Amino acid sequence: DGGITQSPKYLFRKEGQNVTLSCEQNLNHDAMYWYRQDPGQGLRLIYYSQIVNDFQKGDIAEGYSVSREKKESFPLTVTSAQKNPTAFYLCASSMRPGGNQPQHFGDGTRLSIL
Amino acid sequence: AQRVTQPEKLLSVFKGAPVELKCNYSYSGSPELFWYVQYSRQRLQLLLRHISRESIKGFTADLNKGETSFHLKKPFAQEEDSAMYYCALSGTMGGTSYGKLTFGQGTILTVHP
């Protein structure tokens, strides 16, 4: 089913390398989010964007960067400054900005270090 | 700061037994609470939200501001309820929602036949 598409499903990063995770949505949603999921820690918010050309840091933004040049796209770059990047990354969107809006999630990208 | 705690990482019950997944929160303002669920090989999805006051798939959750809890309950568990459940909180101030959602650590529910 459509909605939110994350790619790739699996990604490997070498030491010192930046990698970019793709998130695209065809739901015409205003807001988009990136979460990191680690065992036993639930989902932690990395960045979120309430509208095109605007984004805010979440709880664990260090070592990550994002852009929101188009409404349907919200790519996440994991930089070499992120010392522990191995995790499962989830992208989500909501029709309107606001944490009280239901969020729709993608299938996720699993990032591992080579 | 907003915080959500799900004290049980794992919860096992038998089919037909009642089930309660616990969720406690910490937030000084007026919270909105949600339960999200992830079934095997499916995406994380919204199960229910406290402002809707509805029952979804037989599950209900009541916001108890005195105990700062939002426990998820079902009187008779089914095998298809086996999944990962996340409690989540959105903070509001003056009726305006902040942009972010804070999730708990999650509880894996297993319903045995």
Side-chain angles (χ1 to χ4, degrees):
Chain A
D1 58 335
I4 299 185
T5 302
Q6 290 188 241
S7 62
K9 197 168 183 177
Y10 299 95
L11 188 57
F12 298 92
R13 193 191 91 166
K14 294 180 181 178
E15 294 287 344
Q17 187 181 47
N18 292 355
V19 291
T20 298
L21 285 62
S22 170
C23 179
E24 304 277 329
Q25 54 103 355
N26 62 3
L27 300 168
N28 200 33
H29 284 179
D30 286 335
M32 297 186 75
Y33 312 82
W34 272 107
Y35 294 92
R36 173 180 169 138
Q37 189 175 29
D38 295 282
Q41 295 198 52
L43 278 70
R44 293 182 290 167
L45 183 66
I46 304 172
Y47 269 98
Y48 63 106
S49 168
Q50 300 189 69
I51 198 167
V52 177
N53 293 321
D54 183 59
F55 50 84
Q56 288 84 38
K57 292 183 179 180
D59 299 317
I60 54 166
E62 185 175 349
Y64 299 97
S65 66
V66 293
S67 63
R68 187 84 189 279
E69 296 176 2
K70 297 186 295 182
K71 188 175 185 178
E72 58 269 23
S73 179
F74 191 42
L76 173 74
T77 297
V78 184
T79 74
S80 56
Q82 171 51 243
K83 297 306 178 190
N84 185 23
T86 298
F88 189 64
Y89 292 87
L90 278 171
C91 179
S93 70
S94 62
M95 185 178 295
R96 298 284 178 265
N100 61 349
Q101 296 292 310
Q103 294 188 12
H104 299 254
F105 287 83
D107 286 325
T109 293
R110 188 167 297 280
L111 175 63
S112 301
I113 299 300
L114 284 177
Chain B
Q2 42 193 75
R3 189 183 188 98
V4 177
T5 302
Q6 294 178 248
E8 304 141 327
K9 286 187 180 179
L10 303 170
L11 184 62
S12 289
V13 300
F14 285 99
K15 177 182 174 181
V19 63
E20 180 179 67
L21 290 85
K22 291 183 167 47
C23 172
N24 291 92
Y25 67 89
S26 172
Y27 183 62
S28 57
S30 181
E32 293 197 35
L33 276 296
F34 306 81
W35 278 98
Y36 280 79
V37 61
Q38 187 168 25
Y39 301 103
S40 178
R41 288 185 286 279
Q42 293 188 30
R43 297 181 178 186
L44 188 62
Q45 58 187 287
L46 178 67
L47 179 63
L48 56 80
R49 48 195 304 192
H50 90 269
I51 61 172
S52 299
R53 295 182 177 271
E54 56 191 346
S55 172
I56 304 292
K57 298 185 179 183
F59 283 99
T60 59
D62 292 316
L63 178 60
N64 186 323
K65 291 188 176 181
E67 296 182 0
T68 60
S69 68
F70 187 57
H71 304 326
L72 184 67
K73 301 177 184 180
K74 185 170 183 176
F76 307 103
Q78 303 299 316
E79 290 179 68
E80 55 265 29
D81 296 329
S82 296
M84 168 74 93
Y85 291 81
Y86 289 100
C87 182
L89 176 152
S90 170
T92 64
M93 189 69 72
T96 300
S97 171
Y98 291 125
K100 68 177 195 175
L101 203 58
T102 299
F103 284 83
Q105 301 92 326
T107 297
I108 299 174
L109 173 65
T110 303
V111 181
H112 300 283

